[in-house]
């Protein structure tokens, strides 16, 4: 079963607004990562938050992690048209063959100029 | 650093043929490589994990005889889709992990089977 569930599935905002995406997961994790994917392209790693961290910032990105609720959020502030992409959370947990990532369903973000 | 390449970036083939996709770690030694598949508008699904010099571990529901994985060196893993059919058309993405356990992703390969 899919580890991560994200909401919303799609989000459309105006340039300059903030965008918030949420991710929930089911099992214990080592860390949680957020990735961006432009249409038909590879993944771009955005930020990693460890299981013992609650909040992390990187530029216009802010990630929170609540391990008691098994959820995370990604906030993009002052969005730009170039932020239009799909955003995925991925949980990193130990499996029988070592560390493995399980991806959420993704949020399609559209930033309108 | 930590660059992963894939070749080809896209391929179109006829039904019934086999297609090989290469994944290379360009500037580090990848003890583990992962292969993912992504259908349109869907998420990445892990297909298999391979460690250099050993047999790949396949996820449930992934046919190991159809998706042959070879990880013969610390910088190269290959995925061969044997007897490809239109339902195998997808975006295949590899990632490579070295001593720090962090995964670095390749740019993906778009496979279209006619």
């Amino acid at each position: 079963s899919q580890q991560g569930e994200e909401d919303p599935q799609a989000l459309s905002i105006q340039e300059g607004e903030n965008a918030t995406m949420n991710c929930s997961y089911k099992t214990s994790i080592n860390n949680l990562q957020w990735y961006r994917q432009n249409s038909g392209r590879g993944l771009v790693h955005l930020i990693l938050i460890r299981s013992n961290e609650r909040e992390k910032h990187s530029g216009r990105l802010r990630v929170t992690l609540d391990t008691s609720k098994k959820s995370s959020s990604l906030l993009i502030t002052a969005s730009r048209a170039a932020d239009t992409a799909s955003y995925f959370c991925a949980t990193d947990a130990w499996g029988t063959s070592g560390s493995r990532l399980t991806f959420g369903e993704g949020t399609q973000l559209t930033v309108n100029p | 650093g930590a660059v992963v390449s894939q070749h080809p970036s896209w391929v179109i083939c006829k039904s019934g043929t086999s297609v090989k996709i290469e994944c290379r770690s360009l500037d580090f030694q990848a003890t583990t490589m992962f292969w993912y598949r992504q259908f349109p508008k869907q998420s990445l699904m892990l297909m298999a994990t391979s460690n250099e010099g050993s047999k790949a571990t396949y996820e449930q529901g992934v046919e190991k005889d159809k998706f042959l994985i070879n990880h013969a060196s610390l910088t190269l893993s290959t995925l061969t889709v044997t007897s490809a059919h239109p339902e195998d058309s997808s975006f295949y993405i590899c990632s490579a992990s070295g001593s720090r356990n962090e995964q670095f992703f390749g740019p993906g390969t778009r496979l279209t089977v006619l």
Side-chain angles (χ1 to χ4, degrees):
Chain A
S1 63
Q2 189 69 14
Q3 167 81 311
E5 296 178 5
E6 293 179 63
D7 74 271
Q9 288 188 333
L11 180 61
S12 182
I13 59 175
Q14 295 299 122
E15 212 165 21
E17 293 179 342
N18 296 341
T20 300
M21 289 159 268
N22 302 297
C23 168
S24 62
Y25 57 93
K26 295 186 174 72
T27 64
S28 297
I29 61 172
N30 297 324
N31 61 67
L32 186 144
Q33 302 174 39
W34 284 90
Y35 290 85
R36 183 183 73 212
Q37 184 181 37
N38 289 77
S39 181
R41 308 294 288 272
L43 296 177
V44 174
H45 184 265
L46 295 177
I47 198 164
L48 179 153
I49 185 165
R50 302 191 188 284
S51 60
N52 61 353
E53 297 176 308
R54 293 296 166 260
E55 189 171 310
K56 205 160 183 181
H57 295 81
S58 176
R60 293 184 297 114
L61 305 180
R62 174 177 167 256
V63 167
T64 63
L65 177 65
D66 187 335
T67 53
S68 67
K69 295 181 180 178
K70 290 187 168 55
S71 68
S72 174
S73 68
L74 170 67
L75 168 67
I76 303 174
T77 60
S79 64
R80 305 166 183 168
D83 294 330
T84 294
S86 291
Y87 291 81
F88 295 93
C89 69
T91 53
D92 184 352
W94 284 102
T96 54
S97 51
S99 177
R100 52 179 289 164
L101 289 180
T102 305
F103 284 82
E105 299 297 326
T107 295
Q108 172 61 51
L109 173 65
T110 302
V111 182
N112 302 298
Chain B
V3 178
V4 176
S5 70
Q6 279 185 243
H7 178 79
S9 55
W10 58 270
V11 57
I12 301 173
C13 69
K14 292 183 179 179
S15 188
T17 60
S18 294
V19 173
K20 181 186 283 189
I21 302 169
E22 292 185 351
C23 177
R24 292 181 186 272
S25 58
L26 299 184
D27 50 4
F28 69 102
Q29 294 189 324
T31 50
T32 307
M33 286 187 169
F34 303 83
W35 287 95
Y36 297 84
R37 179 168 54 183
Q38 184 181 32
F39 292 108
K41 298 193 185 303
Q42 292 188 24
S43 186
L44 280 74
M45 296 297 292
L46 180 65
M47 299 174 68
T49 303
S50 74
N51 292 298
E52 185 262 338
S54 359
K55 288 186 179 180
T57 302
Y58 290 80
E59 295 298 302
Q60 194 171 10
V62 178
E63 300 173 57
K64 63 180 182 183
D65 295 330
K66 181 168 182 62
F67 298 99
L68 301 178
I69 291 172
N70 185 285
H71 189 170
S73 79
L74 285 171
T75 58
L76 173 65
S77 175
T78 60
L79 168 68
T80 302
V81 183
T82 62
S83 186
H85 288 94
E87 57 265 31
D88 299 323
S89 297
S90 188
F91 194 52
Y92 292 87
I93 304 175
C94 74
S95 71
S97 176
S99 58
R100 291 173 56 185
N101 251 352
E102 190 177 343
Q103 288 189 37
F104 300 96
F105 285 82
T109 297
R110 172 79 54 198
L111 170 63
T112 302
V113 185
L114 302 176

